[in-house]
Amino acid sequence: DGGITQSPKYLFRKEGQNVTLSCEQNLNHDAMYWYRQDPGQGLRLIYYSQIVNDFQKGDIAEGYSVSREKKESFPLTVTSAQKNPTAFYLCASKRTGNTEAFFGQGTRLTVV
Amino acid sequence: QKEVEQDPGPLSVPEGAIVSLNCTYSNSAFQYFMWYRQYSRKGPELLMYTYSSGNKEDGRFTAQVDKSSKYISLFIRDSQPSDSATYLCAPGGEGNFNKFYFGSGTKLNVKP
C-alpha cells in the first residue's frame, strides 16, 4: 500500500538533546513538508522540499534542520536551539503541480 | 495579519443538524481552497477542494468560495456523529501549488 509513514508515534526527550523525526513516503511524490501543530494555532510550516538535495525554510524554521538525500525520505531534526519543541509534528507529501497533500499520522514530541 | 483566520470552536450540534464552517483569508492570489478533516491524534485527510469562486458538492458536503470577500465555507448536511473531528481550511496555490496555509481548525462535535 502506498502512503506516508512517520515514526515514532510518541517521542520523549530531555531538554537540550537533539532529536530526529522520521518521514518516509512511497508515493513517488516530489514535494515533502514538515508542519508543527499546536492547540489553537493550526499547522505551521517548518520546512519543505520540492526536489532531492534541495529544501526551503518555512515560517518557523528556527531551531529545526532537515535533509533530503533521497526522494522517499525527509527527516526532521529538532535541535536544542528550538525554544519550545513540545508539539505534534506532521509530515506531508504531494506531487508537484497537484493540490492534494497526503499526511502521515504524526509524531507527538514531548521534551521534559 | 494572518494568512488564514478560522474560528477554533468548539462547535457542538445535534445529529442531523446543518453545520457551517468558515474561514477568511488575506491573499487575493490564492486560487485553490482545500478542506481537511482531522480526527483526534491523526493526520489530516483531504475532504474537498475547489478552484476559484463557486460551489462544489460531494454527498453531504458543500464547499463554497467567495473570492470577492475572501471567504470560504464548508457546509455539512444531515451531520452524523462520525463527522466529529477538526476541520481545517487551507487556501493556497502560489509557487506551483507548493505552498498552502492552514487555518487553526474548527473542532466539531456532533451529538447523537
Side-chain angles (χ1 to χ4, degrees):
Chain A
D1 288 336
I4 181 164
T5 303
Q6 289 186 245
S7 61
K9 192 171 181 179
Y10 299 97
L11 190 54
F12 295 87
R13 278 296 182 269
K14 290 185 178 179
E15 195 172 332
Q17 289 182 333
N18 291 357
V19 61
T20 297
L21 282 60
S22 170
C23 178
E24 304 276 334
Q25 54 97 2
N26 60 4
L27 300 165
N28 199 33
H29 287 170
D30 298 302
M32 296 187 74
Y33 306 79
W34 274 105
Y35 291 91
R36 170 183 171 139
Q37 188 174 32
D38 296 282
Q41 295 199 50
L43 275 65
R44 291 184 290 167
L45 183 63
I46 304 172
Y47 268 98
Y48 66 105
S49 168
Q50 299 179 51
I51 195 169
V52 173
N53 292 322
D54 187 48
F55 45 83
Q56 288 78 42
K57 292 182 179 180
D59 302 314
I60 55 165
E62 186 176 348
Y64 299 97
S65 66
V66 293
S67 63
R68 186 87 188 276
E69 297 177 2
K70 298 186 299 180
K71 189 175 185 178
E72 304 79 24
S73 179
F74 191 39
L76 173 75
T77 297
V78 185
T79 74
S80 57
Q82 168 51 232
K83 299 299 181 194
N84 186 19
T86 294
F88 188 50
Y89 290 88
L90 286 160
C91 180
S93 72
K94 75 178 191 72
R95 197 178 298 280
T96 301
N98 279 13
T99 52
E100 182 176 2
F102 292 82
F103 282 85
Q105 292 303 293
T107 293
R108 187 166 299 278
L109 172 65
T110 302
V111 175
V112 296
Chain B
Q1 184 183 11
K2 282 187 177 180
E3 296 281 356
V4 188
E5 297 276 3
Q6 186 176 7
D7 186 339
L11 182 61
S12 187
V13 301
E15 183 175 353
I18 296 174
V19 176
S20 172
L21 305 169
N22 308 293
C23 290
T24 58
Y25 64 95
S26 58
N27 190 337
S28 58
F30 289 158
Q31 299 177 66
Y32 285 85
F33 305 90
M34 328 279 270
W35 281 97
Y36 280 82
R37 179 173 59 194
Q38 184 178 24
Y39 291 110
S40 183
R41 298 187 182 88
K42 300 289 186 184
E45 297 173 300
L46 181 66
L47 187 61
M48 293 185 70
Y49 79 89
T50 54
Y51 174 71
S52 194
S53 283
N55 292 1
K56 184 175 182 179
E57 189 173 318
D58 184 1
R60 297 184 294 110
F61 298 88
T62 299
Q64 193 172 77
V65 177
D66 182 349
K67 289 191 75 178
S68 63
S69 57
K70 299 189 185 70
Y71 195 83
I72 53 180
S73 302
L74 178 71
F75 299 97
I76 306 174
R77 292 188 302 279
D78 187 25
S79 56
Q80 302 295 308
S82 59
D83 295 330
S84 298
T86 297
Y87 291 81
L88 302 112
C89 62
E94 61 184 22
N96 194 26
F97 317 124
N98 273 321
K99 203 166 181 189
F100 286 86
Y101 297 86
F102 286 83
S104 58
T106 299
K107 189 169 185 178
L108 173 65
N109 181 35
V110 181
K111 299 173 290 184

